[in-house]
């Protein structure tokens, strides 16, 4: 930079400043888009869950304790409801329920 004239130094300084500002703005826009997409996904999942939960019979769901219970009628009833929920919303690839296990 010692042999550069003043106008070259000013142009180089502004170029670096513009590059830094462009990077800062781009990363800010990326972060905003990322956050808004994650929030949209959360809202969509919450809407799906809030519609699905009342359709699952909690008494039948509580009777599924082992893998062998998958052949029972109460398992089939809830599974059919889950399949119908999945069929109505094409974005759902997998649907399942979870239940808190008692501490042993």
């Amino acid at each position: 930079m010692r042999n550069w004239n003043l106008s070259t130094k000013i142009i180089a300084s502004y170029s670096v400043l513009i590059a830094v500002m462009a990077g800062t703005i781009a990363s800010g826009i990326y972060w905003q888009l990322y956050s808004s997409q994650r929030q949209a996904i959360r809202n969509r999942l919450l809407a799906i869950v809030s519609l699905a939960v009342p359709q699952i019979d909690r008494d039948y769901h509580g009777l599924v304790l082992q893998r062998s219970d998958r052949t029972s009628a109460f398992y089939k009833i809830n599974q059919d409801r889950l399949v119908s929920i999945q069929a109505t919303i094409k974005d759902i690839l997998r649907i399942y329920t979870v239940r808190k296990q008692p501490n042993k």
Side-chain angles (χ1 to χ4, degrees), residues 80-98:
D80 289 344
R81 289 181 182 163
L82 290 173
V83 168
S84 69
I85 293 167
Q86 185 178 11
T88 59
I89 303 172
K90 299 301 179 199
D91 294 335
I92 299 176
L93 301 178
R94 291 189 195 116
I95 188 168
Y96 56 91
T97 62
V98 292

Side-chain angles (χ1 to χ4, degrees), residues 22-80:
T24 303
I25 291 171
S27 63
I29 290 172
Y30 170 79
W31 182 252
Q32 283 287 1
L33 288 173
Y34 176 79
S35 298
S36 66
Q37 286 297 314
R38 288 194 53 96
Q39 187 60 42
I41 290 169
R42 275 191 209 104
N43 292 341
R44 176 100 167 125
L45 288 173
L46 182 61
I48 291 169
V49 168
S50 64
L51 291 173
V53 167
Q55 296 181 37
I56 302 302
D57 190 317
R58 62 186 278 188
D59 294 329
Y60 289 162
H61 189 264
L63 294 173
V64 178
L65 301 174
Q66 301 172 3
R67 287 192 176 268
S68 61
D69 292 334
R70 290 183 177 186
T71 59
S72 64
F74 44 85
Y75 179 85
K76 181 77 170 131
I77 290 170
N78 279 335
Q79 183 183 19
D80 289 344

